[in-house]
């Protein structure tokens, strides 16, 4: 007994001491586990974003741990690493997962943390903690609290493109549930045997190349180390690390490509940061004292720039900079070409520069002889000038367009029009116009009525003309929707889009058209810029789909795109141009006829033409929009899309079988066919789920659906490298058919239109009919003078017996006729409305 | 029994003609599936099996005689590295209480009398090593002060006291000694051979090894985790667990000869992951747990 008393006396620590909150990490032991280990491609995540630049997650995790250790030690902590190397010539010498937690247990640490990236091969920044599988609760509740702080601090430091995970979470997930729960879930091997709280952080999104490239930089890795440190400090009621940090990215202002070999100077400390060669443009200064600083961007061959910032206690300042190189701008393309002798009098003049221009200097340096009224506009990030004559140019006239050498690029360097590499020479473009334009404009396409199938009643119309139009002739008097007999349709609106040598007109109808009814598109009297009038009135007949309509909005894009990933955040996005591809809310551009419409979503894209494959997956990640689920029967997915004529390909993607796989799986990603964006103006793009494209799923639409993404693809040699598309009103339209199939065991042996019942009727009656085979069917009602008063059915139906209801509430008493029409059969009957 | 015999047949792996140890029988221990059983170990007499769960929150005793399971304690953390005295009258373990919303914790080393269920706290603090028995007396180390309470009795064979500053702490001739045979090693799972002349352990960056207890004659074993000596001292039994960086995807029980030259797979089970082997000190038996939390006894034949 005496022995034990002595023993207790020696070992007992004061409970009072334990209860006091510490002001640092002194006396605490941590085990930091750099996840993975070695260079085994199967397990250690090898990625080569650029030839010769190889990223290994095992190495990235290891370097982060090496950087974290001294930061924690400076706070008084004892820090043990499960790995002291990332070199394992014999793969079996790498510590196994069981060895890692055993190491933490054997050394009796207070806390365990494992560093990883790219959760589950995907894009969640998250923290995972061990789940007690029997109770489905955290094995160590404290790990959830610590994990939440580590999560938020990592995200604030590394500016990852990854998602913040599902909405409503703190970024902390229970491992067994995260990996599927009862459907194959498991405890993470590195957490399974811990005797103390611990967690595993998935910080960066290393599959996205801008981030992969940054992850090759040790100072970028150190940002994550700071994030983990600050999470631990805050949990322990200690202030964050006190040193200020300034970090940022330097990119080429004209193509957003990160710059190598950068040089950044920080004043007054006169510290210099030398960038690496990994195409990330990253720089970072840490351990800064509070005060005003000047950041001088001195990267060789770029225009020097500077920025003043004020560093506060514990502050982190991100100071990205777009720098202009010192290469003089050249002329890369002109329209007309030099010496053209037959330039169309209605065409526009275009001049493409090799670099972003100082537009004011170009405007001042521009002279046209002889002069004519025109408007100027810039496209492609101010590298392409469009001179748009207000009216037709005079015929058989010699013109000289001059841009003198005072025109400058955005970098301040004067024009090098002859492309010899020496700045200071201007452009002299000579051309001659051709004969008078005597050809009238023509309608080339009329979307969607050219398709000759019933259209959705909420469609808008997009008409392409063979040449530019005189905008004053584009009106609802000349371009309009009418009933099939020429009757007026209320509340229409037109919008003109002036293209290169062609014109587009959008026609909007404020209220959806009536379903199941015949209309026509009427185009007349529009003129081109030479005053030539459309040769004859163009009438395009069409019908609207029948049935009762209902709409479900997924996202109206009226306030933000917060529920959507940045384009680069999806692991499926490839071949884009650096950080220049963006998805943002835009309040200025919107479909004009929608009620209470306050904006749209703009997808600016740029492609890296040297990439091997190209795809933007603009992913709907979270929030109420993602909660919308539906079944495909009688339903179409719709979005308004403002085309840029770029011939970029567009498609929808959905998850199917959502009821079976609520978390989604790769195999459940189905896509629509591609639509080539070869138009200007708005179109309503629809997918009825009957045809599919090829992507990750099996190409068969099954079960319940949920929206996944908009997708774009560049087609080499065909699509533009840069552009901008706008999306508005992503929604579902459900058409409940007016004809309902009657359950019968046998297929009818003859066609039949049955007598309506009741008859006489007031105000509604039922009409049944039988079909012996699948065919296109119309059932219409006419008054006694032969005028159609209602189209009840106008669609393709399979063999069987059907019924449809005729509601005559708005009609007056009298005799009416109803007719069943198919390609090979017609039958008519009478009925009496008695009010 | 028919089922068990069939399972045993499937389980027994083919080994090479040169193999001198092989499994000849496998038997599933009937314990409730309410817990994920973890890290089973034999009692000093080899008659009983002690178990914990995957959270180390408790200790259970499975009686080899009665085939019954008895809960000893459900103290938090008690299942990690607990020890049973040679006379099997006492069990010593460490329990840990995590302070809410804090990195702080308190730990206590408890000795529990297995007959009358009484318990005594023999050490407490923030950083206390798990206890060991030295001739039925408890030894425990305060890892913060590095002070070890050593019983006055001296044993002829060395005793592993635990891991201290990543090194192996040994009790040799009544004195504590830090053992670092690989130089700058970082060790886990140290275990002495039955005669106390050799020590098997795992170094975090260099894998498993055997060394003479004087630090010489180091033999590298590659992966042989959670090693346990057969009672003959001829083999070290361990697990060859394979993972993908996130989860264990395979594990078999292996035997490595004491000279390090012979490595034999004792199991090659496709659908089960055998983990944490522990050899009986008195019979040719190994108890293992599986990734599903089941418990098996493997009977081996050693030539």
């Amino acid at each position: 007994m005496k022995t034990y008393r002595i023993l207790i006396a020696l070992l007992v620590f004061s409970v009072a001491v334990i209860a006091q909150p510490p002001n640092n990490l002194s006396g605490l032991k941590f085990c930091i586990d750099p996840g993975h280990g070695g260079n085994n491609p199967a397990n250690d995540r090898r990625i080569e974003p650029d030839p010769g630049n190889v990223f290994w997650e095992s190495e990235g995790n290891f370097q982060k741990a090496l950087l974290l250790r001294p930061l924690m030690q400076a706070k008084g902590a004892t820090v043990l690493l499960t790995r002291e190397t990332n070199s394992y010539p014999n793969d079996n010498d790498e510590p196994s997962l069981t060895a890692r937690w055993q190491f933490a247990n054997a050394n009796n640490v207070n806390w365990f943390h494992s560093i990883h990236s790219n959760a589950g091969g995907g894009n969640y920044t998250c923290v995972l903690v061990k789940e007690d599988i029997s109770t489905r609760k955290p094995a160590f509740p404290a790990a959830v609290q610590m994990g939440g702080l580590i999560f938020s601090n990592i995200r604030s430091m590394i500016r990852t493109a990854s998602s913040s995970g599902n909405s409503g979470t703190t970024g902390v997930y229970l491992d067994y549930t995260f990996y599927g729960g009862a459907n194959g879930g498991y405890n993470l091997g590195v957490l399974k045997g811990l005797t103390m709280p611990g967690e595993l952080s998935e910080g960066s999104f290393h599959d996205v190349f801008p981030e992969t490239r940054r992850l090759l930089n040790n100072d970028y890795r150190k940002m994550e180390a700071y994030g983990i440190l600050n999470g631990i400090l805050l949990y322990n009621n200690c202030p964050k690390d006190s040193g200020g940090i300034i970090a940022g990215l330097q990119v080429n202002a004209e193509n957003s490509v990160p710059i190598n070999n950068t040089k950044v100077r920080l004043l007054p400390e006169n510290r210099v940061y030398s960038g690496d060669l990994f195409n990330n443009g990253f720089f970072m200064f840490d351990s800064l004292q509070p005060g005003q600083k000047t950041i001088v961007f001195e990267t060789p061959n770029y225009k020097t720039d500077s920025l003043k910032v004020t560093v506060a206690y514990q502050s982190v300042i991100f100071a990205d900079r777009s720098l202009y190189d010192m290469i003089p701008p050249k002329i890369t393309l002109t329209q007309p070409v030099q010496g053209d002798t037959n330039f169309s009098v209605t065409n526009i003049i275009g001049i493409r520069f090799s670099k972003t221009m100082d537009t004011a200097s170009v405007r001042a340096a521009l002279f046209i002889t002889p002069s004519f009224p025109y408007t100027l506009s810039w496209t492609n990030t101010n590298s392409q000038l469009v001179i748009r004559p207000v009216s037709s140019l005079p015929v058989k006239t010699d013109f000289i367009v001059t841009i003198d050498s005072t025109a400058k690029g955005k970098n301040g360097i004067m024009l090098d029009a002859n492309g010899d590499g020496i700045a200071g020479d201007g452009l002299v473009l000579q051309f001659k116009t051709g004969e008078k334009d005597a050809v009238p404009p023509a309608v080339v396409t009329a979307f969607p009525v050219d398709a000759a199938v019933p259209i959705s009643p909420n469609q808008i119309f997009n008409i392409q003309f063979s040449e530019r139009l005189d905008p004053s002739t584009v009106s609802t008097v000349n371009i309009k929707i009418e009933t099939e007999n020429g009757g007026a349709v209320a509340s229409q609106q037109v919008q003109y889009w002036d293209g290169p040598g062609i014109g587009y007109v959008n026609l909007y109808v404020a209220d959806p058209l009536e379903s199941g009814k015949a209309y026509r598109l009427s185009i007349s009297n529009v003129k081109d810029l030479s005053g030539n009038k459309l040769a004859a009135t163009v009438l395009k007949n069409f019908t609207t789909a029948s049935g009762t309509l209902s709409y479900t909005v997924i996202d109206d894009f009226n306030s933000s795109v917060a529920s959507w990933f940045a384009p680069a955040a999806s692991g499926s996005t490839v071949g884009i141009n650096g950080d220049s591809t963006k998805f943002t809310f835009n309040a200025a551009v919107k479909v004009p006829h929608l009620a209470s419409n306050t904006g749209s979503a703009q997808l600016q894209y740029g492609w890296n033409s040297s990439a091997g494959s190209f795809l933007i997956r603009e992913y709907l990640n979270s929030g109420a929009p993602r909660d919308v689920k539906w079944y495909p029967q009688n339903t179409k997915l719709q979005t308004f899309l403002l085309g840029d004529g770029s011939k970029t390909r567009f498609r929808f993607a959905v998850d199917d079988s959502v009821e079976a796989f609520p978390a989604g799986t790769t195999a459940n990603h189905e896509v629509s066919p591609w639509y080539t964006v070869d138009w200007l103006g708005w179109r309503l793009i629809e997918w009825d789920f009957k045809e599919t494209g090829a992507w990750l799923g099996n190409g068969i639409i099954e079960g319940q659906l949920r929206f996944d993404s908009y997708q774009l693809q560049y087609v080499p040699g065909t699509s533009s490298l840069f552009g901008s598309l706008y999306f508005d009103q992503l929604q579902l339209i459900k058409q409940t058919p007016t004809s309902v199939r009657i359950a019968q065991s046998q297929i009818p042996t003859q066609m039949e239109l049955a007598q309506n019942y009741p008859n006489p009727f007031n105000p509604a009656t039922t009409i049944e009919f039988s079909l012996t085979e699948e065919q296109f069917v119309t059932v219409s009602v006419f008054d006694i003078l032969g005028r159609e008063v209602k189209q009840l059915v106008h669609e393709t139906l399979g063999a069987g017996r059907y019924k449809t209801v005729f509601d005559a509430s708005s009609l007056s008493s009298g005799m009416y006729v109803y007719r069943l029409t198919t390609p090979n059969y017609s039958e008519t009957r009478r009925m009496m409305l008695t009010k | 029994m028919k089922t068990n015999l069939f399972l045993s047949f499937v389980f027994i792996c083919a080994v090479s003609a040169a193999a001198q140890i092989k499994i000849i029988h496998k038997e599933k221990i009937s314990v409730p599936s309410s817990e994920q059983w973890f890290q089973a170990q034999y009692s000093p007499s080899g008659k009983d099996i002690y178990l914990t769960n995957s959270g180390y929150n408790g200790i259970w005793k499975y009686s080899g005689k009665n085939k019954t399971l008895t809960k000893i304690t459900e103290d938090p953390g008690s299942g990690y590295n607990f020890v049973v005295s040679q006379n099997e009258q006492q069990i010593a373990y460490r329990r840990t209480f995590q302070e809410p919303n804090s990195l702080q914790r308190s730990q206590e080393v408890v000795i529990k009398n297995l007959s009358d269920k009484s318990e005594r706290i023999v050490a407490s603090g923030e950083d206390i090593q798990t206890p060991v028995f030295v001739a039925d007396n408890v030894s425990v180390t305060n890892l913060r002060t590095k002070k070890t309470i050593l019983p006055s009795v001296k044993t002829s064979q060395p005793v592993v006291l635990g891991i201290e500053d990543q090194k192996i702490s040994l009790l040799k001739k009544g004195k504590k000694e830090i053992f670092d045979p690989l130089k700058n090693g970082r060790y886990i799972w140290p275990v002495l051979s039955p005669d106390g002349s050799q020590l098997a352990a795992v170094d975090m960056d260099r894998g498993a090894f055997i060394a003479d207890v004087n630090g010489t004659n180091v033999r590298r074993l590659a992966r042989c985790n959670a090693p346990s000596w057969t009672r003959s001292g001829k083999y070290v039994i361990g697990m060859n667990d394979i993972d993908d960086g996130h989860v264990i995807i395979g594990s078999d029980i292996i035997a490595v000869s004491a000279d390090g030259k012979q490595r034999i797979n004792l199991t090659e089970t496709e659908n089960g992951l055998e983990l944490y082997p522990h050899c009986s000190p008195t019979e040719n038996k190994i108890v293992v747990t599986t990734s599903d939390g089941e418990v098996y006894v493997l009977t081996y034949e050693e030539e």
Side-chain angles (χ1 to χ4, degrees):
Chain A
M1 180 58 77
K2 193 174 180 181
T3 305
Y4 289 127
R5 282 182 181 156
I6 295 168
L7 202 152
I8 291 168
L10 285 169
L11 291 173
V12 167
F13 287 72
S14 164
V15 172
V17 170
I18 295 171
Q20 294 299 316
N23 57 15
N24 54 34
L25 303 179
S26 297
L28 296 171
K29 271 192 290 190
F30 295 85
C31 179
I32 303 299
D33 171 49
H36 304 273
N39 302 103
N40 177 350
N43 294 332
D44 298 320
R45 314 294 198 267
R46 180 189 188 279
I47 298 174
E48 190 168 355
D50 303 295
N53 293 343
V54 178
F55 166 82
W56 292 87
E57 185 190 336
S58 55
E59 180 67 20
N61 297 337
F62 180 56
Q63 293 298 328
K64 289 172 192 172
L66 289 180
L67 292 160
L68 176 59
R69 177 161 56 185
L71 295 177
M72 295 182 70
Q73 287 172 330
K75 301 294 179 186
T78 298
V79 183
L80 310 178
L81 303 191
T82 58
R83 293 196 281 128
E84 290 286 355
T85 179
N86 194 44
S87 175
Y88 297 97
N90 176 2
D91 209 36
N92 274 337
D93 288 343
E94 173 198 333
S96 68
L97 296 175
T98 56
R100 296 176 195 227
W101 57 251
Q102 172 64 18
F103 180 70
N105 289 352
N107 287 285
N108 199 31
V109 301
N110 293 76
W111 211 275
F112 177 89
H113 185 88
S114 184
I115 302 173
H116 289 247
S117 52
N118 239 48
N123 44 24
Y124 278 21
T125 293
C126 67
V127 172
L128 293 158
V129 300
K130 181 185 172 185
E131 181 171 354
D132 183 320
I133 295 173
S134 61
T135 62
R136 303 299 295 269
K137 291 181 177 175
F140 294 97
V144 176
Q145 295 154 19
M146 167 88 89
L149 291 166
I150 289 177
F151 164 81
S152 57
N153 279 278
I154 287 178
R155 274 191 67 81
S156 71
M157 297 298 273
I158 63 174
R159 308 164 79 197
T160 173
S162 74
S163 152
S164 60
N166 291 329
S167 61
T169 72
T170 57
V172 182
Y173 295 85
L174 301 179
D175 56 0
Y176 175 72
T177 298
F178 184 83
Y179 287 109
N183 297 317
Y186 53 83
N187 284 131
L188 282 165
V190 79
L191 303 179
K192 191 175 175 79
L194 290 175
T195 60
M196 72 291 298
E199 63 279 312
L200 181 151
S201 61
E202 299 274 13
S204 304
F205 186 14
H206 65 228
D207 279 346
V208 174
F209 281 0
E211 219 159 305
T212 322
R213 293 171 177 131
R214 287 171 213 160
L215 280 164
L216 290 166
N217 182 300
N218 245 21
D219 292 305
Y220 180 74
R221 293 165 172 158
K222 194 174 185 182
M223 296 292 281
E224 184 166 332
Y226 274 118
I228 297 170
L229 171 72
N230 285 337
I232 293 170
L233 287 170
L234 290 171
Y235 182 76
N236 203 38
N237 296 317
C238 300
K240 286 185 182 180
D241 189 67
S242 60
I245 294 175
I246 298 173
L249 304 171
Q250 297 163 87
V251 297
N252 186 312
E254 294 175 85
N255 56 19
S256 297
V257 173
I259 302 169
N260 279 341
N261 270 330
T262 60
K263 183 179 179 184
V264 185
R265 187 181 301 277
L266 186 72
L267 300 173
E269 288 87 345
N270 202 25
R271 284 168 60 179
V272 173
Y273 189 94
S274 296
D276 61 30
L277 292 169
F278 299 131
N279 302 313
N280 54 53
F282 183 78
F283 72 96
M284 190 266 268
F285 299 98
D286 62 353
S287 303
L288 298 176
Q289 293 298 313
Q292 192 173 68
K293 316 284 179 186
T294 301
I295 311 165
V296 184
F297 299 91
E298 300 177 349
T299 297
N301 300 320
Y302 282 81
K303 189 177 176 183
T304 298
D305 199 356
S306 66
L307 179 68
K308 287 189 186 303
V309 297
T310 301
V311 173
Y313 178 70
Q314 297 181 345
S315 70
V316 180
I317 294 172
F318 296 109
D320 296 344
R321 213 63 173 169
S322 297
L323 304 178
Y324 288 93
D325 66 33
M326 302 300 284
I327 300 170
K330 297 183 292 187
I331 305 290
T332 60
L333 191 68
T334 64
Q335 177 183 286
V337 296
Q338 185 69 266
D340 190 341
T341 57
N342 191 28
F343 186 61
S344 170
V345 295
T346 62
N347 215 336
I348 59 175
I349 298 165
I351 298 167
R352 187 178 295 170
F353 300 88
S354 63
K355 308 185 69 63
T356 300
M357 299 301 290
D358 172 358
T359 57
S361 72
V362 175
R363 186 180 290 268
L366 174 65
F367 304 97
I368 301 178
T369 308
S371 64
F372 56 83
Y374 60 83
T375 60
L376 285 185
S377 61
W378 289 88
T379 61
N380 282 2
T381 58
N382 288 348
S383 66
Q384 187 163 314
L385 173 65
V386 176
I387 303 168
R388 195 180 304 271
V390 172
S391 57
S392 188
L393 293 172
V395 301
K396 291 289 184 185
T397 304
D398 288 308
F399 286 93
I400 300 175
V401 176
T402 303
I403 301 176
D404 70 31
S405 60
T406 59
K408 295 176 183 173
K410 187 75 176 173
N411 57 5
I413 308 296
M414 288 198 295
L415 184 63
D416 171 24
N418 64 9
D420 64 0
I422 301 170
D425 41 85
L427 168 72
V428 179
L429 174 63
Q430 295 179 305
F431 66 93
K432 186 173 188 176
T433 52
E435 299 286 355
K436 175 176 171 41
D437 170 26
V439 180
V443 174
V444 179
T445 61
F447 179 89
V449 298
D450 283 343
V453 294
I455 69 167
S456 293
N458 67 328
Q459 264 290 3
I460 58 176
F461 303 88
N462 182 278
I463 305 146
Q464 181 191 345
F465 291 86
S466 58
E467 56 183 313
R468 296 170 66 207
L469 299 181
D470 175 353
S472 69
T473 65
V474 176
S475 68
T476 53
V477 173
N478 293 338
I479 303 174
K480 59 194 171 189
I481 300 295
E482 300 172 330
T483 64
E484 65 173 335
N485 298 319
V489 172
S491 302
Q492 298 185 44
Q493 182 180 352
V494 290
Q495 188 173 16
Y496 178 64
W497 304 89
D498 200 22
I502 53 177
Y504 286 84
V505 173
N506 265 135
L507 173 61
Y508 311 98
V509 183
D511 299 318
L513 298 170
E514 284 188 53
S515 58
K517 194 165 180 181
Y519 292 91
R520 70 187 190 192
L521 170 64
S522 172
I523 307 165
S524 62
N525 295 327
V526 293
K527 295 178 182 176
D528 65 20
L529 291 175
S530 300
N532 301 306
K533 193 164 72 175
L534 191 68
T537 299
V538 175
L539 295 175
K540 300 252 183 186
N541 294 311
F542 66 93
T543 57
T544 52
S546 61
T548 303
L549 300 177
S550 60
Y551 299 90
T552 303
V553 175
I554 299 174
D555 198 333
D556 57 15
F557 300 116
N558 271 354
S559 56
S560 80
V561 292
S563 299
W564 299 71
F565 270 7
S570 168
S572 303
T573 295
V574 292
I576 62 172
N577 184 349
D579 294 336
S580 65
T581 301
K582 299 170 186 169
F583 191 65
T584 53
F585 171 70
N586 189 305
V589 179
K590 56 198 172 190
V591 176
H593 73 297
L594 297 177
S596 306
N597 192 10
T598 57
S600 65
Q602 181 182 13
L603 179 49
Q604 292 173 268
Y605 58 88
W607 302 100
N608 176 2
S609 60
S610 61
S613 56
F614 308 92
L615 182 75
I616 292 174
R617 181 188 181 203
E618 183 47 58
Y619 178 69
L620 175 60
N621 173 51
S622 62
R626 190 166 163 78
D627 295 336
V628 176
K629 302 182 183 81
W630 71 93
Y631 288 93
Q633 288 74 23
N634 300 315
T635 302
K636 293 176 184 174
L637 182 60
Q638 298 183 326
T639 196
F640 293 98
L641 173 54
L642 180 62
D644 60 358
S646 60
K647 295 184 179 163
T648 303
R649 299 210 295 178
F650 161 80
R651 69 183 177 188
F652 296 106
V654 297
D655 290 340
D656 71 354
S657 300
V658 173
E659 66 275 51
F661 301 98
T665 69
T666 299
N668 293 103
H669 294 322
E670 306 293 351
V671 291
S672 70
W674 287 112
Y675 310 89
T676 299
V677 185
D678 55 3
W679 67 90
L680 298 182
W682 290 101
R683 285 189 179 184
L684 179 62
I685 306 299
E686 300 182 295
W687 182 27
D688 61 8
F689 310 107
K690 289 174 182 166
E691 289 184 54
T692 58
W695 194 38
L696 304 175
N698 61 2
I700 301 170
I701 299 292
E702 298 158 303
Q704 196 176 35
L705 308 182
R706 175 179 56 213
F707 189 82
D708 178 88
S709 57
Y710 293 130
Q711 299 192 352
L712 300 188
Q713 189 179 53
Y714 168 74
V715 180
T718 299
S719 308
S720 301
L721 276 173
F722 296 92
S724 189
L725 299 176
Y726 294 81
F727 297 90
D728 209 346
Q729 198 77 4
L730 175 63
Q731 63 183 9
L732 301 165
I733 177 171
K734 187 174 179 63
Q735 293 175 267
T736 305
T738 49
S739 57
V740 177
R741 186 170 186 150
I742 300 168
Q744 282 189 319
S745 58
Q746 292 185 328
I747 294 173
T749 55
Q750 61 181 26
M751 301 287 287
E752 182 195 4
L753 177 67
Q755 186 60 53
N756 65 304
Y757 59 90
N759 189 34
F761 66 97
N762 179 25
T765 188
T766 301
I767 298 167
E768 293 191 8
F769 56 94
S770 297
L771 306 175
T772 55
E773 60 183 352
E774 182 180 285
Q775 54 201 305
F776 193 84
V777 180
T778 302
V779 177
S780 297
V781 179
F782 303 87
D783 65 16
I784 203 67
L785 298 176
R787 295 175 300 197
E788 186 181 78
V789 297
K790 188 78 174 179
Q791 193 173 60
L792 300 175
V793 179
H794 191 72
E795 60 190 323
T796 299
L797 296 173
R801 189 163 180 86
Y802 296 85
K803 64 180 178 182
T804 183
V805 174
F806 172 47
D807 185 347
S809 300
S810 61
L811 300 175
S812 54
S813 297
M815 183 71 73
Y816 288 85
V817 172
Y818 61 100
R819 180 186 297 153
L820 167 71
T821 306
T822 72
N824 301 312
Y825 184 80
S826 179
E827 186 175 358
T828 305
R829 285 183 179 273
R830 294 183 172 195
M831 56 185 167
M832 177 64 76
L833 171 61
T834 306
K835 287 194 169 177
Chain B
M1 178 54 82
K2 211 171 184 180
T3 305
N4 276 342
L5 285 174
F6 175 74
L7 280 174
S8 303
F9 177 78
V10 171
F11 181 84
I12 296 167
C13 67
V15 295
S16 70
Q20 294 178 311
I21 181 170
K22 62 183 177 183
I23 303 297
I24 58 171
H25 184 65
K26 174 187 181 184
E27 180 183 358
K28 182 178 178 181
I29 301 299
S30 179
V31 285
S33 58
S34 54
E35 298 283 346
Q36 283 237 323
W37 301 109
F38 203 53
Q39 296 194 347
Q41 66 181 63
Y42 278 104
S43 64
S45 68
K47 293 177 180 173
D48 303 317
I49 294 171
Y50 285 83
L51 300 163
T52 185
N53 60 20
S54 70
Y56 291 115
N57 293 321
I59 302 169
W60 287 258
K61 174 183 171 184
Y62 177 79
S63 166
K65 181 180 178 184
N66 303 326
K67 313 296 184 193
T68 56
L69 189 70
T70 307
K71 182 187 287 184
I72 307 296
T73 179
E74 54 185 10
D75 282 345
S78 57
Y80 179 72
N81 263 9
F82 62 86
V83 283
V84 180
S85 63
Q86 281 295 322
N87 61 18
E88 301 193 9
Q89 292 299 304
Q90 299 178 103
I91 189 166
Y93 60 85
R94 181 186 67 195
R95 61 190 178 198
T96 302
F97 301 99
Q98 189 70 34
E99 298 290 325
N101 305 316
S102 169
L103 287 163
Q104 308 295 318
R105 67 183 175 198
S106 59
Q107 297 184 312
E108 294 174 338
V109 170
V110 177
I111 298 177
K112 189 154 192 165
N113 186 306
L114 292 171
S115 300
D116 63 15
K117 316 299 183 197
S118 63
E119 65 176 47
R120 290 172 294 154
I121 298 171
V122 296
S124 63
E126 293 177 78
D127 192 3
I128 307 298
Q129 182 58 284
T130 50
V132 295
F133 275 111
V134 180
D136 288 342
N137 295 297
V138 161
S139 172
V140 64
T141 300
N142 183 321
L143 290 170
R144 181 166 290 183
T145 63
K146 314 297 184 199
K147 289 185 177 174
T148 302
I149 302 308
L150 297 172
S152 54
V153 60
K154 292 183 181 175
T155 56
S156 57
Q157 287 193 6
V159 175
V160 173
L161 296 176
I163 299 296
E164 198 171 317
D165 288 337
Q166 308 179 65
K167 305 294 185 290
I168 299 165
S169 173
L170 286 180
L171 180 64
K172 291 166 80 172
K173 297 178 181 174
K175 290 186 177 177
K176 189 167 85 172
E177 180 180 313
I178 297 302
F179 189 58
D180 183 13
L182 297 188
K183 310 304 176 196
N184 297 318
R186 303 183 311 121
Y187 305 103
I188 53 175
W189 287 314
V191 56
L192 285 160
S193 61
D195 66 0
S197 65
Q198 300 173 87
L199 182 140
V202 173
D203 177 78
M204 288 302 286
D205 287 323
R206 287 173 279 191
F209 67 93
I210 298 172
D212 291 350
V213 80
N214 61 7
T216 62
N217 192 22
V218 173
R219 290 141 275 169
R220 301 281 294 275
L221 310 182
R223 182 161 296 180
C224 181
N225 283 332
S228 176
W229 289 88
T230 59
R231 63 190 179 117
S232 68
K234 292 180 180 175
Y235 292 95
V236 166
I237 309 298
M239 61 180 184
N240 183 19
D241 52 314
I242 309 297
D243 60 68
D244 64 0
H246 287 263
V247 67
I248 300 172
I249 55 176
S251 179
D252 280 308
I253 303 301
I254 60 168
V256 182
S257 59
D259 61 7
K261 293 178 179 173
Q262 194 179 16
R263 183 183 177 92
I264 302 162
N265 259 26
L266 297 181
T267 67
E268 289 180 356
T269 315
E270 283 189 7
N271 297 323
L273 307 181
E274 293 87 10
L275 300 160
Y276 312 109
H278 188 261
C279 296
S280 166
T282 57
E283 295 181 275
N284 284 357
K285 291 185 174 179
I286 306 165
V287 63
V288 298
T289 48
T290 69
S291 56
D292 298 326
E294 296 175 334
V295 186
Y296 289 89
V297 169
L298 316 179
T299 303
Y300 62 88
E301 188 174 81
E302 199 179 61
E303 296 173 3

